Amino acid sequence: MPRPKVLYNVGMTADGKVVTAAGDSRISGEEDLKEVHRLRAEHDAVAVGINTVRKDDPMLNVRLVEGEDPIRVVFDTECSIPLDCRLVRTARDIPTVVLCAEADPGRVEKLEKRGVKVEEVGACEDGVDVERGLELLYDMGVRTLLLEGGPTLAWSFLKRGLIDEFRVAVAPVLVGGSDALTPVEGEGFPRVDLGVGLELKRVERVGRDVVLWYEVSGSAADLASEHEEARGRSS
Ligand SMILES: NC(=O)c1ccc[n+]([C@@H]2O[C@H](COP(=O)([O-])OP(=O)(O)OC[C@H]3O[C@@H](n4cnc5c(N)ncnc54)[C@H](O)[C@@H]3O)[C@@H](O)[C@H]2O)c1
Ligand SMILES: Nc1nc(=O)c(N)c(NC[C@H](O)[C@H](O)[C@H](O)COP(=O)(O)O)[nH]1
């Protein structure tokens, strides 16, 4: 089934964290944030997991550069997105889609009254069925998706071979913290040779940050089935 092309983009400290243990995620410098807004404008949709909505209350719009807002998508297993978050409060002006595994009809009504489109796509072991969710976005006309995290949702995409490109802005700061999250969390692959291989496409200095732009090497679908086979062989 066709799905949108997915770019996973994050801001990371030089010691590999995307948020401090205390919850501060203001990592990218000003110039990189502008680039992130440019990327948003170039993509049909931008997606985050529900924890990112709860922690950051993001807008996910284009405001630091000229350009059109993408459709905003939230992966929200139980359709628990707060009614007073900024995404819901601005859903009448910027298309906003909540993908959930199942939803209480009363909750759906409350969200839809506020302009949010709620789609029940079913569940997978991690939450919302990501493959079905991506197919549905494709059917809605979304051909390119900017995945902005967080790292739990990113693992769900990565292990299924659903990330095509990875862009990381490395900020010149060390924060430590054994509980501070890294770009991809979840269970992780057991061996390095089972990890998703990347090919470095570009390195650029963006303001004070260094941006690394990778392509997933080989087709993501082939990689996913290779991983499945290898995991089967190793267990
Ligand atoms: N520095 C950065 O670039 C950056 C980017 C994004 C988020 N963050 C930070 O990351 C933190 C949030 O990340 P997180 O990993 O806790 O949460 P997340 O945003 O990845 O959301 C995870 C939640 O989404 C829901 N979900 C629905 N379907 C899912 C699926 N198929 N797979 C996985 N989860 C699914 C589940 O309830 C799950 O707990 C925040 O502190 C935020 O500030 C940093
Ligand atoms: N590239 C990047 N660098 C960062 O330093 C950072 N914190 C994020 N985080 C992505 C996540 O989706 C955030 O919630 C939004 O960056 C907030 O988005 P808004 O400014 O409200 O539009 N992304």
Side-chain angles (χ1 to χ4, degrees):
M1 287 290 281
R3 63 160 178 89
K5 184 172 176 192
V6 176
L7 166 64
Y8 178 36
N9 181 67
V10 286
M12 182 181 86
T13 63
D15 55 342
K17 316 291 188 185
V18 297
V19 55
T20 66
D24 188 359
S25 68
R26 293 163 300 170
I27 291 171
S28 294
E30 209 180 305
E31 291 303 316
D32 182 58
L33 285 178
K34 271 194 194 151
E35 284 305 311
V36 173
H37 283 231
R38 233 166 249 132
L39 287 172
R40 287 178 180 172
E42 282 168 10
H43 283 74
D44 297 325
V46 54
V48 292
I50 185 64
N51 285 355
T52 297
V53 175
R54 288 189 183 283
K55 305 262 178 183
D56 296 355
D57 196 11
M59 268 298 278
L60 303 177
N61 62 349
V62 177
R63 56 184 192 278
L64 300 179
V65 298
E66 289 288 308
E68 285 216 5
D69 294 327
I71 298 175
R72 305 177 300 182
V73 180
V74 182
F75 284 79
D76 179 9
T77 315
E78 283 152 10
C79 202
S80 64
I81 187 166
L83 296 179
D84 62 353
C85 74
R86 296 204 286 169
L87 291 180
V88 174
R89 283 195 275 122
T90 55
R92 287 199 190 292
D93 304 319
I94 308 173
T96 306
V97 178
V98 169
L99 300 178
C100 58
E102 54 179 329
D104 165 68
R107 185 80 191 160
V108 175
E109 197 189 322
K110 278 191 183 133
L111 287 165
E112 294 201 329
K113 242 169 75 185
R114 289 164 171 79
V116 177
K117 190 172 167 62
V118 180
E119 294 286 354
E120 227 174 297
V121 297
C124 72
E125 60 183 356
D126 306 318
V128 177
D129 184 333
V130 262
E131 267 142 355
R132 292 261 322 272
L134 287 183
E135 280 164 24
L136 186 117
L137 291 175
Y138 189 92
D139 288 345
M140 286 168 56
V142 173
R143 297 293 178 265
T144 54
L145 178 72
L146 179 65
L147 175 64
E148 287 204 27
T152 304
L153 182 63
W155 166 248
S156 191
F157 273 66
L158 187 76
K159 75 172 180 193
R160 295 181 170 81
L162 298 173
I163 293 178
D164 303 294
E165 290 181 282
F166 175 54
R167 178 186 179 279
V168 56
V170 183
V173 58
L174 302 168
V175 297
S178 43
D179 290 335
L181 302 179
T182 67
V184 188
E185 290 288 327
E187 183 197 350
F189 295 111
R191 296 204 319 255
V192 174
D193 64 336
L194 300 182
V196 170
L198 302 174
E199 190 180 330
L200 184 63
K201 289 291 174 186
R202 261 193 349 248
V203 180
E204 352 169 71
R205 245 194 119 110
V206 176
R208 63 156 170 75
D209 302 332
V210 172
V211 171
L212 305 174
W213 200 308
Y214 297 95
E215 244 173 44
V216 167
S217 48
S219 107
D222 290 350
L223 274 169
S225 60
E226 273 171 35
H227 288 307
E228 275 310 307
E229 276 173 34
R231 281 164 78 97
R233 281 199 302 272
S234 73
S235 60

